[in-house]
Amino acid sequence: MSAQAVSRREPWLRSMLDFYATKMRVQVLTQFQYRVAMYMYTLGMAAEPTIYLVVWSTIARSHGGSVDGITPHQFAAYYIVWTLVRVMNIVFTPYGWEWRIREGQLSGQLLRPMHPIHYDLAEFAGQKLPWIVMYLPIATGLWFAFHPALHPRPLAVLVFLIAIWGAYVIRSLNQFVLGMITIWTTRAAAVFQVWFLAELLLSGRLVPLTLMPQWSQALAAWLPFKWTFYFPIESLVGNMSDASLVTGLGLQALWAAIGAVAVAGSWRLSVRHYSAVGN
Amino acid sequence: MRSLRLVAVYLRLGVLNEMQYRANFFVAMFQSLLSVGVGLAVLALVYSHTATLNGWTRSQLLVILGVQILLGGVVHTSIQPNMERLVDEIRDGKLDFLLTKPEDSQLMISVRVLQLWQFVEIVSGSIVVGVGISQLTGTIGLGHSLLFLALLVLGALLLYCFWLVLATGSFWIVNMWFLSELFEGMYQTGRWPIGVYPGWLRYSMTYLVPIGLAVTVPAQAITHRLHWGTVVVALLFALALTAFTRFFWRFGVRRYSGASA
């Protein structure tokens, strides 16, 4: 083999950025092909926050205008921003891992040169732009229907823009680890459901965490869930202090780091156990 | 008569098929327990901040929750799996095989699949309704109970029509993977009395998406909140929707040209 055949190695960071950029561009183009499907999906998704918003606004109004100091307009702000954060939190689902294994997809994917998390991260990051474009008309509609009280400071906007990506990364990493369970058992769905239940109650997805009982707020403080819903939403709508905004980003980084270690460890452990299915 | 026999055959086939996977019973039970648990937790949370929601007490709302879970069980047992299969077959062009059969096509596509184990949801929904009723003050006569059952059947019919209209859309929009998500999302609105929603949303949830009508009206019957006018409107609406669904299905089938190789 001659010396020319040895390819020049690209710097790692550059090739990585190139990989992400290409993968994301392809996703943007692909997603815009299915506009009706996306729209219907977004519409189904918008039902959830609208229900919460309506229920809590009703309670607030029947109690002289607020629940625990939260007014209907503040609820409106919370749940409209909620929808955007929810869009950011769409990641590769652990149920998808069942499919990957059953259909033998994973066997082929093992031949790829990079860690599998990169493919999922890049793919779903690329879908964010089309999704957000779809979300804007819905947000506008909700805005005029419910009149949110939203007056963020510039720093809050900046932190929010970082925090939604932090949420995306944390949730992607956590769900990857969950997905690894499917390599060990075919009845992993039960675990996923318990996880999603905990997330619903302890992340701020259901209600602003301050409305939850004290003990569950204390529990939530030690779990990653609130950093994917409550913190990003509150950073924009909650008038948090500068210090707590920055601390929040720091804690997000910490949870992302924990998630990354868990992903690396669980993958290394699981892939050894994996026996191929499919053709 | 022939159609009834056909339905019975498919039903038996569905049961036999599902009996092969008995472990799924426990999976369904676990799922149902979790979803009832979530419903109860949300109710507890709401009623820790208020005594009534738009005039509904906690036990009355428990009845609504139960009806919503029960009807959800009906949807998951027979309506949704059939509709999902229909959407898949339209996309893959396999509907050809069904359309060549001499029976009525709408009947055939509606009875083919049965997810037997999801009946657990019907049971758990009924239990929640029962608990809710037992906490209500005042007695419930035979008349109210019969009306309640009749309105439940009406609700199931409304949900069937709604699902079929959505699924018929596949004749035009081929990529319909989102349908279940869309339905599940909107179906969650049925968990709350329809009166809490602002006007425009209330009307669209009654007539455009008849989920509010399907869930709230039976619950109203058993909690003494029902006016006879509502029953008449619900009945007329169900008739109109059934007729429209029939028309729309035939309209869609005429457009179908087969997508198979």
Side-chain angles (χ1 to χ4, degrees):
Chain A
M1 197 181 277
S2 67
Q4 281 92 26
V6 179
S7 65
R8 189 174 52 86
R9 272 187 74 103
E10 293 243 1
W12 180 82
L13 186 65
R14 210 165 89 217
S15 62
M16 212 54 169
L17 283 177
D18 193 32
F19 166 77
Y20 269 84
T22 310
K23 195 96 177 140
M24 284 168 73
R25 208 162 47 233
V26 171
Q27 278 302 314
V28 170
L29 294 173
T30 315
Q31 289 297 313
F32 273 126
Q33 302 281 316
Y34 302 105
R35 287 175 298 270
V36 178
M38 277 172 70
Y39 226 93
M40 292 295 167
Y41 184 79
T42 325
L43 218 59
M45 211 166 58
E48 190 184 340
T50 311
I51 298 166
Y52 302 150
L53 172 55
V54 165
V55 167
W56 288 103
S57 303
T58 308
I59 299 172
R61 270 194 292 275
S62 68
H63 284 74
S66 73
V67 183
D68 282 7
I70 310 179
T71 65
H73 298 299
Q74 284 168 328
F75 276 119
Y78 189 88
Y79 286 116
I80 291 172
V81 175
W82 181 106
T83 318
L84 178 59
V85 173
R86 174 76 188 92
V87 166
M88 292 303 295
N89 272 330
I90 298 175
V91 302
F92 188 79
T93 149
Y95 294 100
W97 277 99
E98 285 183 335
W99 170 80
R100 270 181 185 170
I101 292 170
R102 196 177 55 238
E103 305 273 315
Q105 300 275 342
L106 186 59
S107 307
Q109 287 168 357
L110 286 177
L111 297 172
R112 290 162 158 183
M114 276 191 294
H115 195 287
I117 185 75
H118 292 301
Y119 296 93
D120 292 344
L121 268 178
E123 207 170 305
F124 280 81
Q127 293 179 7
K128 296 310 168 204
L129 177 70
W131 282 111
I132 290 169
V133 171
M134 294 284 154
Y135 156 79
L136 287 176
I138 290 179
T140 316
L142 290 174
W143 190 286
F144 285 111
F146 294 105
H147 311 290
L150 191 57
H151 318 285
R153 289 167 298 131
L155 179 69
V157 176
L158 183 69
V159 169
F160 173 74
L161 291 177
I162 303 170
I164 51 177
W165 286 101
Y168 169 66
V169 171
I170 294 172
R171 200 159 187 265
S172 296
L173 298 175
N174 289 346
Q175 306 230 347
F176 183 96
V177 176
L178 272 182
M180 287 301 100
I181 302 173
T182 55
I183 293 185
W184 301 84
T185 167
T186 51
R187 294 262 178 235
V191 183
F192 302 159
Q193 272 161 349
V194 173
W195 176 275
F196 286 125
L197 173 63
E199 182 185 55
L200 178 71
L201 296 174
L202 297 172
S203 67
R205 177 172 175 166
L206 186 66
V207 285
L209 279 178
T210 44
L211 291 181
M212 297 290 287
Q214 279 298 326
W215 61 268
S216 53
Q217 286 186 48
L219 188 62
W222 293 96
L223 294 169
F225 303 120
K226 69 182 270 193
W227 303 104
T228 59
F229 275 95
Y230 187 66
F231 171 66
I233 301 172
E234 278 293 294
S235 70
L236 193 65
V237 307
N239 291 320
M240 293 168 72
S241 69
D242 292 0
S244 49
L245 283 174
V246 177
T247 321
L249 283 186
L251 281 163
Q252 268 198 330
L254 180 68
W255 277 108
I258 294 173
V261 172
V263 163
S266 64
W267 171 250
R268 202 169 294 178
L269 216 65
S270 307
V271 78
R272 270 193 236 134
H273 184 80
Y274 173 68
S275 56
V277 183
N279 38 22
Chain B
M1 239 8 250
R2 229 166 72 112
S3 352
L4 274 182
R5 242 193 357 254
L6 197 68
V7 172
V9 168
Y10 269 112
L11 201 66
R12 213 184 56 213
L13 208 62
V15 170
L16 284 175
N17 203 15
E18 283 283 277
M19 287 310 262
Q20 299 177 82
Y21 308 100
R22 265 166 252 181
N24 282 352
F25 168 74
F26 295 100
V27 177
M29 196 154 84
F30 181 73
Q31 283 175 343
S32 189
L33 273 178
L34 274 190
S35 81
V36 171
V38 172
L40 293 180
V42 173
L43 273 194
L45 189 63
V46 163
Y47 282 96
S48 72
H49 291 280
T50 187
T52 62
L53 181 70
N54 201 37
W56 292 71
T57 64
R58 185 170 177 169
S59 14
Q60 288 172 334
L61 219 60
L62 211 53
V63 175
I64 291 201
L65 177 69
V67 172
Q68 198 253 5
I69 294 173
L70 195 166
L71 283 176
V74 175
V75 169
H76 294 144
T77 311
S78 68
I79 300 175
Q80 190 159 331
N82 276 301
M83 297 305 151
E84 279 172 350
R85 177 155 168 198
L86 171 67
V87 170
D88 285 348
E89 292 197 349
I90 293 174
R91 192 190 52 225
D92 298 341
K94 286 182 190 154
L95 194 66
D96 301 13
F97 301 122
L98 186 131
L99 291 177
T100 50
K101 290 181 178 152
E103 266 308 317
D104 181 75
S105 59
Q106 190 190 338
L107 177 76
M108 293 285 282
I109 56 110
S110 308
V111 297
R112 288 183 295 172
V113 198
L114 182 75
Q115 283 184 354
L116 182 66
W117 303 122
Q118 301 294 328
F119 83 89
V120 173
E121 287 179 70
I122 301 179
V123 175
S124 58
S126 311
I127 294 173
V128 174
V129 172
V131 172
I133 290 175
S134 71
Q135 292 173 359
L136 293 175
T137 49
T139 51
I140 292 140
L142 186 67
H144 276 109
S145 312
L146 289 177
L147 185 63
F148 173 70
L149 288 177
L151 288 170
L152 272 185
V153 174
L154 195 77
L157 176 70
L158 287 171
L159 292 176
Y160 162 76
C161 288
F162 178 59
W163 239 118
L164 184 54
V165 168
L166 282 182
T168 306
S170 305
F171 287 119
W172 289 271
I173 307 158
V174 176
N175 196 335
M176 296 277 263
W177 56 269
F178 54 83
L179 265 189
S180 305
E181 312 275 348
L182 181 66
F183 182 84
E184 287 297 325
M186 293 199 283
Y187 190 60
Q188 295 308 314
T189 53
R191 197 156 274 198
W192 303 95
I194 196 158
V196 302
Y197 297 99
W200 54 277
L201 203 59
R202 190 163 60 236
Y203 284 113
S204 47
M205 274 180 47
T206 312
Y207 300 113
L208 205 61
V209 179
I211 289 166
L213 206 60
V215 177
T216 304
V217 173
Q220 280 176 333
I222 206 93
T223 53
H224 304 287
R225 297 166 157 268
L226 195 62
H227 303 292
W228 282 103
T230 317
V231 179
V232 174
V233 169
L235 204 62
L236 289 178
F237 182 72
L239 282 174
L241 187 63
T242 310
F244 173 76
T245 309
R246 183 90 187 143
F247 159 78
F248 193 55
W249 166 253
R250 290 196 166 165
F251 186 60
V253 169
R254 267 206 301 281
R255 199 191 174 276
Y256 178 72
S257 57
S260 53

